[in-house]
Amino acid sequence: MKLKKVLSSFMIFVCSLFLVTGCTEEKVEEKKEEVKAKCSIAECMKKIEATNTVEEINDIIGFESTTDAMIGSDSIWKFDSKNWISFKTSGNDNITIQATIDKENLKDDKIKLPSSSELQKDLNDGSFTYEELVQKVGGEGTLTSISKGSFSYTWVDKSGQKLGATFNRESGKCTVASYR
């Protein structure tokens, strides 16, 4: 009799657990975000110029920009939840076109990033050009920001260490380099 009560209580508990947790045999389909772009985010950035309008960038990328209250009122092109291009304007019609790219997509086994002290020394000794940094790290960077006065590239090594460098358009020299 005692065993029957224990089994009965156990069955009620298990049934209650399924009801409370919502466990059913119903399958939930995951929604995959569909990329509608004409090019990858990195390829699109290579085609975009600091003088492009939102409409011209729409044509380059292949879909219309949107706005996102979390990011601000500027136009953005979302490739997926981790990758997008934003069009930011500031005083005097200064435009910056910036790509946010998941660093997992940028990892490169060939990239060997210099130490931060070595990079700082190079900056202090007259700086360096994009081409010189490419030689030093062993590979091309990914263009991640474009403006009238500068352009920025990002490198990610196999361990996920991320280096960003901004270059002045006029001199071609690096003005800022930072690790993240």
Side-chain angles (χ1 to χ4, degrees):
M1 187 70 162
K2 205 174 191 184
L3 182 61
K4 200 174 190 181
K5 244 184 180 178
V6 169
L7 284 174
S8 186
S9 295
F10 179 75
M11 291 301 290
I12 290 172
F13 171 75
V14 170
C15 290
S16 298
L17 185 63
F18 280 116
L19 287 172
V20 170
T21 61
C23 292
T24 66
E25 290 186 30
E26 205 175 293
K27 290 185 180 179
V28 177
E29 286 186 36
E30 287 184 35
K31 284 187 180 180
K32 283 195 172 185
E33 295 180 54
E34 192 175 311
V35 176
K36 306 164 273 198
K38 292 179 182 176
C39 44
S40 72
I41 193 167
E43 292 167 344
C44 287
M45 283 298 288
K46 289 178 185 176
K47 295 176 181 182
I48 296 170
E49 296 179 18
T51 56
N52 287 136
T53 64
V54 170
E55 293 75 22
E56 290 169 331
I57 298 172
N58 286 341
D59 289 340
I60 292 168
I61 294 175
F63 61 89
E64 300 270 323
S65 66
T66 60
T67 56
D68 187 327
M70 297 284 289
I71 298 172
S73 61
D74 295 317
S75 297
I76 60 170
W77 294 265
K78 280 193 167 190
F79 287 69
D80 59 44
S81 64
K82 293 183 177 183
N83 300 281
W84 62 86
I85 295 174
S86 60
F87 183 94
K88 300 176 187 284
T89 56
S90 58
N92 297 338
D93 293 326
N94 288 330
I95 295 168
T96 301
I97 300 156
Q98 186 167 352
T100 299
I101 305 174
D102 181 19
K103 76 176 183 179
E104 292 300 315
N105 296 333
L106 300 179
K107 279 186 180 179
D108 187 340
D109 292 346
K110 297 178 289 186
I111 299 299
K112 304 285 186 254
L113 299 177
S115 68
S116 58
S117 59
E118 184 181 351
L119 200 57
Q120 187 62 52
K121 181 184 178 309
D122 289 345
L123 279 169
N124 292 341
D125 290 345
S127 194
F128 45 85
T129 65
Y130 170 76
E131 291 77 17
E132 291 168 335
L133 189 54
V134 166
Q135 282 281 292
K136 184 182 263 320
V137 301
E140 296 281 329
T142 301
L143 183 61
T144 52
S145 182
I146 305 164
S147 72
K148 190 177 184 182
S150 65
F151 50 94
S152 299
Y153 287 87
T154 300
W155 290 262
V156 180
D157 68 12
K158 65 182 175 185
S159 69
Q161 179 77 26
K162 186 175 179 179
L163 170 64
T166 301
F167 299 87
N168 180 286
R169 280 194 185 275
E170 194 173 309
S171 71
K173 297 285 188 169
C174 183
T175 56
V176 177
S178 63
Y179 285 101
R180 285 178 252 137

